[in-house]
């Protein structure tokens, strides 16, 4: 039967319904601010969004979107290659290239399309792709479509990458190395200095997905490669507008002029409608704001450290360093679901992550902070976890 393979998922959904818990696709009934909403009947602090710079309600972004919808209409009704390239798209491409200090940029309709499109197109039959084992689903989807030879290196392990590059011999120069800036599930940062050194030694091309690190890392918010001082070693930077820029869409920037020819070969760019001009207009405004308001970066890090230290002090297993993504790793599925539900009831909405979405076999309560969270909200999140711990909801092994 065609549907047999979905039975496990159907059983899991039935289990969740029986436990009266809606962790996936919980409906947000009201958004009260960038950090508060009403979700499935609970008034909650939003502690699982990727709204790192807190810009989703910025009046300047809203005004830009409103003016654009009045000027350009609700949608382009076409692909960038046909009738869907408006002056807004072109302006954003120039601005994002300028933001990264390179000559070329492509804007995509989603971050997923940007990453998947670039990974599926850059390398082809006869080429090699070396990707981090914990890469995002959009990277895996892209490399699968590429028809290149796919090799995984151990997560954040430049020695393993070097070993595999060495084994490739002459083919190393034909290799696309893929890493992410900040990894979305555990919040750990890629060792880009060491990865860049491997590339310098063996050759190849480096693509970095800065989806979670744009805005958050680097002197001007370009991401992990800027923070590591290795931007010159990066051939392609991809990213998204749906996190720090508070809208939706994605991009690729590069110093290689070939990007202009590559553009016309990316199916995820050619065969999909371009973003609505209102989305592009708010993104342009958000890009201007993250460049001109570095205090947002400071604030997101202050909040990240506050949450990380607070959860660590409770004895929860939170990973080695603070980051705007703070994941509590659990080993028991049922307990993790109970904790997620109890957090909702305590007014805190985090992400429940279960394998294969989590990088290991563990279950995650994935928290993320925004520059828009107040210190009091961060403390309220920590208190909610303290309440769970007092109620004995964490496994004994993890509850210090
Ligand atoms: N790359 C990474 C590393 C991501 O985490 C995500 C989204 N979580 C994407 C790409 C896709 O971005 P979007 O959701 O904006 O399509």
């Amino acid at each position: 039967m065609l549907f047999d393979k979905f039975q496990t998922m159907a059983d899991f959904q039935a289990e969740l319904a029986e436990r009266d818990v809606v962790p996936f696709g919980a409906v947000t009934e009201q958004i009260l601010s960038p950090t508060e909403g009403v979700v499935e009947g609970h008034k909650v602090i939003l502690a699982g969004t990727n709204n790192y710079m807190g810009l989703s309600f910025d009046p300047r972004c809203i005004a830009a979107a409103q003016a654009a919808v009045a000027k350009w209409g609700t949608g382009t009704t076409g692909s960038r290659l046909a009738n869907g390239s408006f002056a807004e798209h072109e302006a954003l491409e120039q601005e994002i290239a300028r933001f990264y200090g390179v000559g070329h940029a492509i804007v995509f309709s989603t971050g997923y399309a940007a990453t998947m499109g670039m990974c599926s197109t850059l390398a082809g039959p006869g080429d090699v792709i070396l990707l981090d084992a914990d890469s995002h689903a959009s990277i895996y989807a892209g490399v699968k479509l590429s028809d290149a030879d796919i090799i995984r290196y151990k997560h954040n392990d430049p020695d393993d990458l070097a070993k595999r590059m060495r084994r490739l011999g002459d083919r190393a120069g034909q290799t696309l190395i893929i890493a992410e800036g900040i990894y979305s599930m555990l919040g750990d940062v890629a060792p880009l200095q060491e990865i860049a050194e491997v590339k310098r030694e063996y050759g190849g091309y480096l693509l970095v997905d800065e989806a979670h690190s744009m805005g958050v890392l680097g002197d001007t918010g370009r991401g992990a490669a800027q923070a590591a001082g290795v931007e010159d070693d990066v051939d392609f930077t991809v990213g998204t507008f749906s996190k720090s820029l508070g809208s939706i869409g994605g991009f690729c920037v590069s110093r290689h002029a070939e990007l202009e020819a590559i553009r016309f070969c990316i199916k995820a760019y050619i065969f999909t409608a371009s973003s609505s001009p209102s989305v592009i207009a708010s993104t342009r405004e958000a890009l201007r704001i993250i460049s001109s308001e570095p205090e947002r970066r400071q604030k997101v890090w202050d909040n990240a450290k506050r949450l990380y230290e607070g959860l660590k002090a409770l004895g929860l297993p939170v990973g080695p360093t603070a980051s705007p993504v703070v994941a509590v790793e659990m080993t028991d599925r049922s307990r993790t679901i109970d904790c997620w539900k109890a957090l909702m009831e305590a007014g805190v909405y985090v992400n429940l992550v279960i394998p294969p979405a989590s990088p290991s076999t563990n279950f995650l309560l994935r928290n993320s902070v925004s520059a828009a969270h107040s210190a009091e909200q961060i403390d309220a999140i920590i208190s909610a976890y303290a309440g769970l711990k007092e109620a004995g909801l964490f496994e004994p092994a993890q509850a210090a």
Side-chain angles (χ1 to χ4, degrees), residues 133-281:
D134 287 359
S135 289
H136 187 256
S138 57
I139 296 176
Y140 271 105
V143 303
K144 201 166 177 191
L145 284 175
S146 73
D147 285 332
D149 296 331
I150 313 299
I151 304 170
R152 287 187 292 182
Y153 61 90
K154 282 189 201 142
H155 175 56
N156 273 353
D157 188 338
D159 293 337
D160 191 51
L161 173 65
K163 188 175 82 188
R164 291 167 194 281
M165 285 294 271
R166 202 159 39 241
R167 280 191 202 149
L168 284 170
D170 289 347
R171 296 182 76 203
Q174 240 177 297
T175 298
L176 179 68
I177 302 166
I178 302 176
E180 292 173 34
I182 291 180
Y183 282 83
S184 57
M185 290 296 137
L186 299 178
D188 45 343
V189 179
L192 288 179
Q193 268 169 11
E194 292 84 346
I195 289 175
E197 263 169 44
V198 173
K199 186 200 130 172
R200 265 178 249 142
E201 185 171 354
Y202 296 97
Y205 297 80
L206 176 59
L207 178 147
V208 180
D209 184 343
E210 300 271 18
H212 291 267
S213 33
M214 181 194 200
V216 166
L217 284 175
D219 279 352
T220 62
R222 289 179 192 165
Q226 185 181 36
V230 296
E231 287 182 288
D232 288 347
D233 296 288
V234 177
D235 295 280
F236 301 94
T237 300
V238 293
T240 178
F241 304 145
S242 73
K243 305 186 196 301
S244 282
L245 299 180
S247 63
I248 185 160
F251 68 90
C252 174
V253 295
S254 177
R255 64 192 142 79
H256 296 293
E258 286 82 355
L259 192 67
E260 300 305 337
I262 294 168
R263 174 196 297 268
F264 295 100
C265 303
I266 307 170
K267 292 199 173 65
Y269 174 82
I270 304 170
F271 295 102
T272 192
S274 62
S275 306
S276 294
S278 54
V279 165
I280 298 290

Side-chain angles (χ1 to χ4, degrees), residues 18 45 78 83 86 88 90 106 110 128-129 134-135 181 199 216 247 252 279 293 295 305-306 318 345 347 353 377 388:
E18 200 167 301
I45 298 172
N83 54 292
F86 287 18
E88 288 285 341
E90 208 180 48
I106 306 177
T110 65
V128 183
I129 294 179
D134 287 359
S135 289
K199 186 200 130 172
V216 166
S247 63
C252 174
V279 165
E293 297 180 2
E295 59 275 18
K305 285 173 195 149
R306 194 176 185 98
V318 284
E345 283 161 4
V353 186
Q377 285 177 317
L388 263 57

Side-chain angles (χ1 to χ4, degrees), residues 279-364:
V279 165
I280 298 290
S282 83
T283 306
R284 291 178 65 193
E285 191 57 27
L287 187 64
R288 194 191 61 69
I289 294 170
I290 67 165
S291 309
S292 59
E293 297 180 2
E295 59 275 18
R296 289 176 186 273
R297 226 169 341 280
Q298 185 60 48
K299 186 70 199 298
V300 80
W301 278 103
D302 289 348
N303 284 340
K305 285 173 195 149
R306 194 176 185 98
L307 181 62
Y308 178 81
E309 294 303 336
L311 296 185
K312 202 172 161 190
L314 289 174
L316 301 179
V318 284
T321 53
S323 152
V325 176
V326 184
V328 176
E329 281 196 78
M330 314 268 291
T331 51
D332 183 272
R333 187 180 80 162
S334 190
R335 279 293 177 98
T336 317
I337 294 168
D338 287 344
C339 286
W340 182 87
K341 190 176 179 193
L343 284 169
M344 276 296 265
E345 283 161 4
V348 177
Y349 180 25
V350 307
N351 299 133
L352 172 67
V353 186
I354 61 164
S358 56
S360 66
T361 52
N362 283 351
F363 302 83
L364 306 180

